[in-house]
Amino acid sequence: MTTTQTPTVPTEPLDVRPTPLALLLLGREADPRSERGVECPGDLPAPSDPDLVARARAAKARLGGKVFILGHHYQRDEVIEFADVTGDSFKLARDAAARPDAEYIVFCGVHFMAESADILTSDAQQVILPDLAAGCSMADMATAEQVAECWDVLADAGVADATVPVSYMNSSADIKAFTGRHGGTICTSSNARRALEWAFEQGEKVLFLPDQHLGRNTAVRDMGLSLDDCVVYNPHKPGGGLTAEQLRAAKMILWRGHCSVHGRFSLESVEDVRARILGVNVLVHPECKHEVVTAADYVGSTEHIIKMLDEAPAGSAWALGTELNLVRRLAAAHPDKQIVFLDKTVCFCSTMNRIDLPHLVWTLESLADGKLVNRIQVDAETEHFAKLALEQMLALP
């Protein structure tokens, strides 16, 4: 719905002040329970260094065509400024593979994204992650050992042979390799339905890793399955907390994982924004909870969200349920539209925000000086099976 006057974009919902808890969300503190806590070697430039932008430009110029910088949509603006391309995780990995002349691929994203880029690029290219602490809490919710144990549970229940694993792109190389070993496929939030349709043509059940919400929303909202067709496997409980009968009856076996950002949005968030902004369009990512997706007007991947805002009419009002850096960037890019953050509280991706300008400057200057830092390298066996799963995704009809 449009309004009769072009609104002024409100700053309060977007200009969120960090609380002590938000220090973690801003990437200034580590949480060893949910993410990698690896320190980078070497001395970083001070965040207050007024010459950081000039130093970044100079180091990138020294490297020339030897470096290709990828910037995920959730990155800070100060990092996006130096990205050669921007996009979601899979688009960026493919962009890197399409630049075989670039010796260094600097991935401004998180760990699993850099792994995917290493899998898809040539052996002559070296993938760099500016801060090794930029992990992903969702990806870390499924370890290789836990997933192997889950497969044993499925085998004991007599359903493993009828189950096809489908793993979200937001997973570690080990999980992608598991998927490849067992004849499954990878999916993105854009092609999850296609991946599930293919999987159900291969078997009777799907083991969906590691985001339960994307799996549930795709199966129920997009494909017409019921919530009763879905069960949640909890790796922290014996047998996943499920009986053999429950596993035999289920069509979707969802891993108990979620996105720490998108999982924060609630039904109350939707109801509140509708009460505050007349005619607002609620647009959310499919990693949100099922009740949030059901209450929203539109649901789509990051690329879809960007496209919808680009095509939205002037004067329209939008509440976005996705990462705050992206929401702020979209609001700045579309001053003719009212774009607000769906939640009232800060909701940055904590690990994505670890990639800041000091880390990027340190990385580029190190590479320009001939010092290789923070290389992400997937071992040959893992790469082989992970690539099988990725190639199966590319072959989806």
Side-chain angles (χ1 to χ4, degrees):
M1 178 183 293
T2 59
T3 57
T4 55
Q5 297 180 344
T6 301
T8 301
V9 176
T11 57
E12 183 178 353
L14 295 178
D15 188 18
V16 185
R17 293 185 178 182
T19 62
L21 174 61
L23 290 176
L24 168 64
L25 300 173
L26 289 167
R28 298 176 189 165
E29 300 291 341
D31 181 359
R33 297 168 298 176
S34 64
E35 63 193 36
R36 293 174 174 84
V38 183
E39 295 297 328
C40 288
D43 296 323
L44 295 177
S48 59
D49 186 338
D51 299 323
L52 279 174
V53 171
R55 288 172 64 178
R57 288 174 179 162
K60 188 176 181 183
R62 286 170 61 194
L63 287 162
K66 293 174 64 177
V67 69
F68 190 50
I69 302 177
L70 310 174
H72 191 272
H73 287 308
Y74 297 169
Q75 285 295 311
R76 307 163 185 255
D77 287 344
E78 68 193 52
V79 172
I80 290 293
E81 178 182 350
F82 294 97
D84 294 303
V85 292
T86 59
D88 62 15
S89 58
F90 186 60
K91 176 183 179 295
L92 292 178
R94 294 188 73 180
D95 286 343
R99 287 291 299 267
D101 54 317
E103 181 179 347
Y104 302 119
I105 304 296
V106 176
F107 208 126
C108 297
V110 294
H111 197 272
F112 79 80
M113 300 178 186
E115 286 183 328
S116 297
D118 184 59
I119 290 167
L120 293 175
T121 52
S122 71
D123 292 339
Q125 295 175 287
Q126 300 174 89
V127 177
I128 314 298
L129 186 65
D131 186 351
L132 293 179
C136 171
S137 57
M138 181 203 294
D140 289 347
M141 289 177 189
T143 68
E145 294 77 12
Q146 289 172 332
V147 176
E149 181 179 343
C150 171
W151 200 253
D152 289 340
V153 170
L154 299 186
D156 291 341
V159 299
D161 290 342
T163 302
V164 178
V166 175
S167 292
Y168 190 22
M169 191 72 182
N170 299 27
S171 59
S172 68
D174 287 337
I175 301 308
K176 291 183 176 73
F178 165 88
T179 306
R181 284 189 181 95
H182 294 279
T185 188
I186 307 302
C187 76
T188 68
S189 53
S190 299
N191 69 0
R193 177 173 181 169
R194 240 187 323 158
L196 286 183
E197 289 173 343
W198 172 86
F200 280 119
E201 291 172 0
Q202 316 306 310
E204 300 172 8
K205 304 174 187 295
V206 167
L207 171 63
F208 194 90
L209 300 153
D211 179 23
Q212 61 170 307
H213 300 307
L214 177 62
R216 181 183 294 106
N217 290 329
T218 304
V220 176
R221 179 181 180 273
D222 299 337
M223 297 176 61
L225 275 70
S226 73
L227 291 175
D228 290 337
D229 291 322
C230 306
V231 295
V232 178
Y233 182 96
N234 186 343
H236 303 293
K237 292 184 177 181
L242 299 169
T243 65
E245 289 73 21
Q246 287 176 305
L247 290 170
R248 294 184 190 118
K251 293 182 179 178
M252 288 288 294
I253 303 167
L254 305 168
W255 191 263
R256 190 176 182 270
H258 65 275
C259 171
S260 299
V261 170
H262 294 103
R264 288 176 58 92
F265 299 113
S266 65
L267 183 58
E268 289 73 25
S269 302
V270 178
E271 293 170 344
D272 176 74
V273 79
R274 290 199 191 282
R276 288 187 290 111
I277 303 176
L278 181 64
V280 68
N281 298 279
V282 178
L283 171 57
V284 303
H285 195 281
E287 290 176 14
C288 292
K289 298 172 184 175
H290 184 66
E291 57 266 28
V292 174
V293 166
T294 300
D297 298 300
Y298 305 99
V299 182
S301 66
T302 301
E303 296 288 349
H304 182 73
I305 289 172
I306 293 170
K307 185 174 185 291
M308 284 202 72
L309 268 295
D310 288 342
E311 297 175 352
S316 56
W318 297 83
L320 305 185
T322 191
E323 204 271 346
L324 184 53
N325 275 320
L326 175 61
V327 178
R328 284 178 163 172
R329 195 170 298 123
L330 288 171
H334 299 283
D336 60 331
K337 300 156 194 171
Q338 185 178 5
I339 299 174
V340 302
F341 190 57
L342 180 57
D343 197 24
K344 284 185 174 181
T345 58
V346 62
C347 200
F348 291 101
C349 177
S350 62
T351 49
M352 195 76 73
N353 269 270
R354 292 188 182 280
I355 308 296
D356 55 14
L357 195 51
H359 280 91
L360 181 59
V361 169
W362 170 75
T363 299
L364 294 177
E365 289 183 340
S366 297
L367 294 176
D369 291 338
K371 181 182 178 183
L372 180 63
V373 296
N374 289 8
R375 182 180 182 186
I376 302 299
Q377 191 169 20
V378 178
D379 68 88
E381 182 180 0
T382 302
E383 177 179 317
H384 169 74
F385 287 104
K387 187 176 287 187
L388 286 180
L390 286 166
E391 288 174 345
Q392 177 55 63
M393 179 179 73
L394 295 175
L396 289 173

